[in-house]
């Protein structure tokens, strides 16, 4: 496990809210929360957006919030409405709660929490609107246990979206990011319509269209520790159709 970067004050004290959507992540969530709260970022808060997980993830999140009432908030959603809807809900609440920066990451431990201080430092030291923890820039790595078909699907998806949208990001489907609050407000979360994994692509496309600088820093992407992937046939179909919808829907958006 990589040691987190030690940021100087006042950088380490900024109000950073980490939004974590969950669905059946009862085994992973306590481990993720422990690692997040151990980071040298006293201003870090965690917002768990649970889609009424059948495995009791919501109850696990509530217990963690009772243990850390000043640092953890739980949003209980009515049901499984998709990753994009959970992120829009959680990020909107983070902004309403006064977050200066909003991070997004998966609950399955594929994204290394220890990379967050370095990502935050990169964002604070540049004029970027978002920094991406990227698998596909020099220095980025994929867990050797990540299945071959997932590697092929991820590589194809990035090539496909690059070809259609001309967005100059190497890891277009990345889900590990830190946003400046002002960039999210400029994008306007209310206009984001993607439900599944194509949420990531839509956010990158909107940020690019609005002229925000996007910075990619290398991370090691791990295979999930527990549970199963939420990638379904329906989300694959939505992801395949979304670039065409984005070009039409957002064609008149300019900085």
């Amino acid at each position: 496990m990589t040691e987190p970067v030690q940021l100087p004050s006042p950088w380490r004290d900024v109000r950073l809210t980490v939004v974590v959507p969950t669905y059946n992540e009862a085994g992973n969530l306590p481990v993720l929360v422990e690692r997040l709260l151990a980071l040298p970022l006293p201003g870090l808060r965690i917002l768990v957006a649970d889609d009424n997980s059948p495995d009791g993830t919501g109850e696990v999140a509530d217990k963690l919030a009772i243990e850390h009432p000043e640092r953890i908030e739980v949003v209980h959603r009515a049901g499984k409405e998709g990753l994009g809807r959970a992120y829009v809900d959680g990020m909107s609440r983070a902004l309403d709660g006064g977050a200066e920066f909003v991070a997004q990451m998966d609950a399955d431990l594929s994204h290394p929490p220890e990379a967050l201080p370095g990502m935050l430092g990169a964002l604070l030291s540049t004029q970027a609107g978002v920094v991406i923890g990227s698998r596909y820039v020099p220095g980025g790595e994929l867990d050797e246990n990540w299945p071959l078909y997932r590697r092929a699907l991820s590589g194809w998806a990035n090539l496909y979206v690059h070809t259609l949208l001309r967005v100059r990001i190497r890891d277009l489907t990345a889900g590990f990011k830190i946003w400046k609050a002002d960039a999210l407000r400029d994008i306007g979360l209310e206009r984001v319509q993607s439900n599944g994994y194509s949420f990531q692509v839509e956010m990158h496309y909107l940020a690019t269209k609005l002229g925000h600088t996007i910075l990619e820093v290398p991370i090691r992407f791990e295979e999930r520790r527990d549970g199963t992937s939420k990638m379904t046939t329906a989300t694959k179909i939505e992801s395949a159709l979304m670039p065409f919808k984005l070009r039409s829907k957002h064609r008149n958006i300019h900085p």
Side-chain angles (χ1 to χ4, degrees):
M1 189 181 299
T2 303
E3 287 295 317
V5 170
Q6 298 288 330
L7 296 177
S9 183
W11 284 10
R12 65 170 174 259
D13 301 316
V14 300
R15 297 192 300 276
L16 169 67
T17 297
V18 182
V19 177
V20 183
T22 56
Y23 187 78
N24 288 349
E25 298 289 357
N28 290 321
L29 185 61
V31 180
L32 176 62
V33 166
E34 180 181 8
R35 288 170 65 180
L36 283 171
L37 294 182
L39 295 176
L41 297 173
L44 182 147
R45 303 292 181 267
I46 303 167
L47 192 153
V48 179
D50 184 66
D51 275 5
N52 197 20
S53 298
D55 74 341
T57 302
E59 289 79 4
V60 171
D62 285 338
K63 290 179 182 177
L64 292 167
I66 290 171
E67 294 172 10
H68 306 280
E70 301 300 318
R71 303 196 70 183
I72 300 177
E73 177 183 356
V74 183
V75 176
H76 293 281
R77 292 161 46 77
K80 192 176 182 183
E81 299 176 17
L83 182 71
R85 296 301 92 203
Y87 266 130
V88 167
D89 192 356
M91 295 167 108
S92 298
R93 291 171 185 262
L95 293 177
D96 291 343
E100 298 173 279
F101 301 88
V102 179
Q104 55 177 104
M105 66 187 305
D106 293 344
D108 62 6
L109 303 177
S110 59
H111 299 144
E114 293 73 23
L116 279 171
M119 291 168 64
L120 180 60
L123 191 62
L124 285 163
S125 61
T126 66
Q127 297 301 311
V130 58
V131 61
I132 298 172
S134 177
R135 299 163 286 186
Y136 301 131
V137 294
E141 297 180 73
L142 287 171
D143 190 321
E144 55 274 9
N145 294 318
W146 212 42
L148 182 60
Y149 81 92
R150 292 290 303 277
R151 292 171 181 260
L153 180 62
S154 176
W156 177 85
N158 274 280
L159 177 61
Y160 174 75
V161 176
H162 273 297
T163 301
L164 290 175
L165 298 182
R166 305 293 182 184
V167 178
R168 300 183 67 179
I169 301 172
R170 293 202 180 191
D171 198 346
L172 269 164
T173 58
F176 188 27
K177 286 168 273 194
I178 304 180
W179 295 87
K180 286 183 178 177
D182 287 345
L184 288 177
R185 293 190 183 98
D186 188 36
I187 286 170
L189 290 167
E190 69 283 350
R191 76 170 119 207
V192 178
Q193 294 189 343
S194 301
N195 290 326
Y197 291 88
S198 56
F199 168 81
Q200 315 295 1
V201 173
E202 184 169 10
M203 290 293 286
H204 293 152
Y205 185 61
L206 285 168
T208 300
K209 290 274 286 183
L210 289 165
H212 292 284
T213 299
I214 300 172
L215 179 66
E216 292 184 84
V217 299
I219 64 159
R220 176 178 170 80
F221 182 87
E222 302 284 350
E223 175 64 305
R224 69 162 41 247
R225 302 284 184 86
D226 186 44
T228 59
S229 171
K230 311 305 186 300
M231 180 71 74
T232 66
T233 300
T235 59
K236 292 176 186 177
I237 292 172
E238 183 201 19
S239 297
L241 295 176
M242 185 53 63
F244 297 99
K245 294 180 180 179
L246 292 180
R247 287 196 305 186
S248 174
K249 174 179 169 53
H250 301 311
R251 63 180 179 274
N252 294 322
I253 292 180
H254 303 285

